[in-house]
């Protein structure tokens, strides 16, 4: 195993993952641990934390992509940062193996405490063609790519003469009727409307948006009546909502089936397929010696210490989407654990940091208990739905819900600096309108330079002209004399 002499030689709190939980645990502990002679180390493949509730607005062009992420290096000044992946953990020996993002040789890192905060990844199913044709909405890169694809397809379709190819380019399918899928779909539809208004060669009725949801209702986070209103709202915007429907194959045309009988629900020709059908715990947790529950999440106590059938695992903690945190309010998932969302992740991270620090001084630990504040969702500008649990349950629709959505997430965005960037971006967009500028060739940024630096092939030599036969001079041409001329 390779060694890395650059690592700081102090008792280490190893934080696996730099997302919401990892960022806040490091923010709350870095100074305290450093003053006590230790070091907080965050390991993540990315140099930033992504605020995932803003991904639909990034895809819709309402938020600048860089403003929806938080730089680790800029905000974790007293934290040791390692860009890489934790591939395995041997907690019995307090060591972890890290694969650097630059492709270098794996190395071991020792620790005293470990915090599992690796979050979740997109959950997929073995559907033919999905990996080749689909795109998720779990990363900032996916959101930017999706925005550019919508704009590119509209622009390209405007010059297509083949009706079938034109219709295919202007068809956008989203699979998954949860918060992420609905917000993504509606933001894309809003973006498309703005782009079509600027393009006289496209009519709005040519653009087709389709939602595919396997269940009989959408958005389980809101009430049934609110979910029904959302379906009506989507259909009023011309969006096709297919409930009790699933994607069976993405090879060639998208093949849909009815549920539960699995009969054919028809085929759709579409160039854009967005997969937003849920998440699953980061599979890296399977390469550890920690106890897991049936869904693949690490088992924890209400005080966020990892524990299994044999008792508490000392100096091991977990929170967020990768952890099965008991919901002491009794209003979580059917298995009694907390709903995986940013609201819980933020508060779990703060509680975990307090408990970890208290454990160093043998102080009592406190259980995590948080009453869900409700749910807010934006469906594009001045449209949304909200279910707020403050003084009783308050249900909102339309513009008020949209304002609640922006207000909550604007405040929840980590760090004051990022809050200001997001809010000022919204203010600018209010006066200047939605930005529908398409960025080209982000997947091939060197293309223009390579073309300029590559000598153009020499043109082929022109063929030699064919020899021209000599014509007799005019004076040599004698006009025959006819009998009439004599």
């Amino acid at each position: 195993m390779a060694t890395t002499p650059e690592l700081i030689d102090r008792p280490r709190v190893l934080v696996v993952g730099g997302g919401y939980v990892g960022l806040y645990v490091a923010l709350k502990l870095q100074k305290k641990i450093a003053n006590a002679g230790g070091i907080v180390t965050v390991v993540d493949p990315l140099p930033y934390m992504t605020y995932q509730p803003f991904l639909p607005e990034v895809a819709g062009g309402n938020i600048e992509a860089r403003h929806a992420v938080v730089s680790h290096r800029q905000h974790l000044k007293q934290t040791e940062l390692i860009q890489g992946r934790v591939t395995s953990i041997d907690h019995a020996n307090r060591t972890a193996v890290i694969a650097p993002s630059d492709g270098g040789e794996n190395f071991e890192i020792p620790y005293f405490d470990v915090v599992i905060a690796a979050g979740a990844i997109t959950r997929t199913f073995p559907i033919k063609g999905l990996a080749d044709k689909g795109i998720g909405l779990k990363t900032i890169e996916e959101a930017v790519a999706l925005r550019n694809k919508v704009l590119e397809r509209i622009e390209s379709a405007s010059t297509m003469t083949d009706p079938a190819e034109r219709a295919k380019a202007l068809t956008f399918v989203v699979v998954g009727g949860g918060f992420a899928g609905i917000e993504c779909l509606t933001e894309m539809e809003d973006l498309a409307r703005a782009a079509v208004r600027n393009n006289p060669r496209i009519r709005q009725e040519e653009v087709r948006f389709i939602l595919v949801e396997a269940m009989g209702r959408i958005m389980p986070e809101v009430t049934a009546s609110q979910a029904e209103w959302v379906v009506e709202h989507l259909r009023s915007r011309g969006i096709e909502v297919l409930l009790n429907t699933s994607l069976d194959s993405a090879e060639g045309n998208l093949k849909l089936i009815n549920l539960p009988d699995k009969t054919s629900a028809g085929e759709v020709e579409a160039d854009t397929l967005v997969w937003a059908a849920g998440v699953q715990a980061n599979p890296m947790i399977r390469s550890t010696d920690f106890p897991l529950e049936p869904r693949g999440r690490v088992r924890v106590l209400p005080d966020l210490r990892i524990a299994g059938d044999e008792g508490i695992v000392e100096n091991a903690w977990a929170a967020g989407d990768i952890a099965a945190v008991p919901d002491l309010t009794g209003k979580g998932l059917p298995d009694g654990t907390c709903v995986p969302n940013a609201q819980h992740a933020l508060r779990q991270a703060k509680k975990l940091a307090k408990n970890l620090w208290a454990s160093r001084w043998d102080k009592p630990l406190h259980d995590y208990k948080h009453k869900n504040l409700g749910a807010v969702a934006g469906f594009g500008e001045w449209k949304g739905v909200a279910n707020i649990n403050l003084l009783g349950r308050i249900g909102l629709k339309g513009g008020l819900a949209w304002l609640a959505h922006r207000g909550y997430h604007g405040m929840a965005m980590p760090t004051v600096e990022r809050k200001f960037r997001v809010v000022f971006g919204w203010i600018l967009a209010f006066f200047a309108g939605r930005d529908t500028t398409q960025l080209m060739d982000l997947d091939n940024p060197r293309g223009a330079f390579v073309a300029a630096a590559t000598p153009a092939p020499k043109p082929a030599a022109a063929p030699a002209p064919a020899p021209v036969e000599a014509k007799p001079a005019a004076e040599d041409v004698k006009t025959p004399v006819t009998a009439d001329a004599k």
Side-chain angles (χ1 to χ4, degrees):
M1 190 69 63
T3 59
T4 53
E6 295 81 6
L7 293 180
I8 298 174
D9 186 17
R10 296 181 192 172
R12 175 175 286 104
V13 175
L14 177 64
V15 180
V16 181
Y20 223 140
V21 172
L23 175 73
Y24 269 95
V25 167
L27 281 171
K28 297 297 181 181
L29 287 179
Q30 59 179 352
K31 185 176 181 180
K32 294 178 180 178
I33 296 295
N35 290 341
I39 186 70
V40 174
T41 300
V42 172
V43 181
D44 194 282
L46 301 172
Y48 50 79
M49 169 264 182
T50 302
Y51 188 66
Q52 293 181 7
F54 278 159
L55 291 181
E57 289 207 51
V58 172
N62 274 325
I63 293 180
E64 165 64 39
R66 291 176 297 110
H67 297 169
V69 298
V70 180
S71 167
H72 292 155
R73 188 68 65 183
Q74 182 177 351
H75 294 281
L76 300 177
K77 300 290 188 182
Q78 294 177 276
T79 296
E80 180 181 50
L81 299 173
I82 300 176
Q83 203 168 326
R85 297 180 184 276
V86 173
T87 60
S88 64
I89 295 176
D90 179 6
H91 190 67
N93 294 306
R94 301 293 197 276
T95 59
V97 177
I98 297 176
S101 292
D102 61 5
E105 190 175 355
N106 291 6
F107 61 88
E108 273 188 354
I109 184 171
Y111 63 82
F112 183 79
D113 286 284
V114 64
V115 177
I116 304 299
I121 64 170
T122 301
R123 180 188 62 185
T124 59
F125 303 103
I127 297 174
K128 293 181 179 179
L130 178 60
D132 297 323
K133 185 171 289 187
I135 183 172
L137 192 64
K138 199 78 174 64
T139 69
I140 198 71
E141 293 80 8
E142 288 175 323
V144 172
L146 188 55
R147 173 186 181 275
N148 285 324
K149 184 166 186 181
V150 171
L151 296 173
E152 183 275 329
R153 288 289 77 196
I154 291 174
E155 186 63 34
S156 296
S158 70
T159 56
M160 292 180 181
T161 57
D162 184 333
E165 288 300 314
R166 185 181 175 101
K168 183 178 180 181
L170 294 175
T171 301
F172 306 90
V173 178
V174 175
V175 179
F179 261 52
I182 301 294
E183 288 186 301
C184 172
L185 175 71
T186 50
E187 286 286 353
M188 286 168 51
E189 197 268 348
D190 245 19
L191 175 66
R193 284 183 179 274
V196 168
R197 282 196 297 269
N198 295 332
N199 194 324
R201 294 192 296 266
I202 297 285
R203 302 187 312 276
Q204 184 60 50
E205 55 267 25
E206 292 184 272
V207 185
R208 185 184 183 193
F209 281 88
I210 303 173
L211 173 68
V212 178
E213 167 55 42
M215 304 298 291
R217 61 161 288 181
I218 61 173
M219 302 182 75
E221 298 88 347
V222 300
T223 65
S225 61
Q226 285 178 315
E228 292 172 2
W229 176 86
V230 173
V231 171
E232 294 174 3
H233 169 77
L234 296 179
R235 288 173 173 161
S236 72
R237 293 166 63 169
I239 298 172
E240 300 173 44
V241 180
L242 306 179
L243 302 178
N244 295 310
T245 307
S246 180
L247 177 66
D248 185 54
S249 173
E251 286 187 333
N253 296 340
L254 304 183
K255 299 173 181 63
L256 306 178
I257 56 174
N258 295 306
L259 294 178
D261 57 13
K262 296 187 178 181
T263 58
S264 174
E267 297 186 7
V268 177
E269 290 188 85
D271 280 343
T272 306
L273 171 63
V274 183
W275 182 267
V279 297
Q280 63 180 355
N282 194 316
M284 64 77 50
I285 194 62
R286 301 171 194 161
S287 300
T288 71
D289 49 0
F290 296 128
L292 306 181
E293 48 91 70
R295 294 177 59 183
R297 298 173 298 173
V298 63
R299 295 167 60 183
V300 299
L301 298 175
D303 60 16
L304 304 175
R305 288 180 294 175
I306 295 177
D309 294 336
E310 299 179 359
I312 296 171
V313 180
E314 296 295 336
N315 304 104
W317 310 77
D321 293 358
I322 201 170
V325 181
D327 191 331
L328 301 183
T329 67
K331 296 182 179 180
L333 296 173
D335 63 0
T337 60
C338 292
V339 175
N341 59 26
Q343 187 180 144
H344 279 300
L346 165 63
R347 289 162 177 80
Q348 289 171 10
K350 292 179 178 180
K351 181 66 69 176
L352 190 156
K354 289 180 179 179
N355 282 346
L356 191 155
W357 182 246
S359 71
R360 291 287 183 96
W361 310 102
D362 295 325
K363 294 183 178 180
L365 309 184
H366 299 283
D367 291 345
Y368 172 76
K369 183 179 181 180
H370 168 65
K371 180 183 178 182
N372 196 320
L373 298 178
V376 291
F379 300 155
E381 293 178 344
W382 299 102
K383 300 178 285 289
V385 67
N387 189 15
I388 302 173
N389 301 325
L390 291 177
L391 301 174
R393 175 173 290 178
I394 303 173
L396 300 176
K397 303 172 185 176
L400 286 177
W402 179 76
L403 289 173
H405 159 76
R406 284 204 163 179
Y408 174 79
H409 287 299
M411 292 299 297
M413 179 70 190
T415 76
V416 174
E417 171 254 341
R418 264 346 190 219
K419 286 180 172 66
F420 274 111
R421 291 184 188 273
V422 169
V423 172
F424 280 119
W426 283 336
I427 294 172
L428 177 62
F430 179 80
F431 292 102
R434 187 190 297 262
D435 188 353
T436 59
T437 305
Q438 175 196 350
L439 299 179
M440 297 287 291
D441 298 325
L442 291 182
D443 56 342
N444 183 29
R446 295 183 62 249
F449 175 77
V450 171
T454 302
K458 293 182 179 180
V468 179
E469 295 182 3
K471 295 182 178 180
E475 56 273 16
D476 294 335
V477 177
K478 296 180 179 180
T479 302
V481 179
T482 63
D484 295 337
K486 290 183 180 179

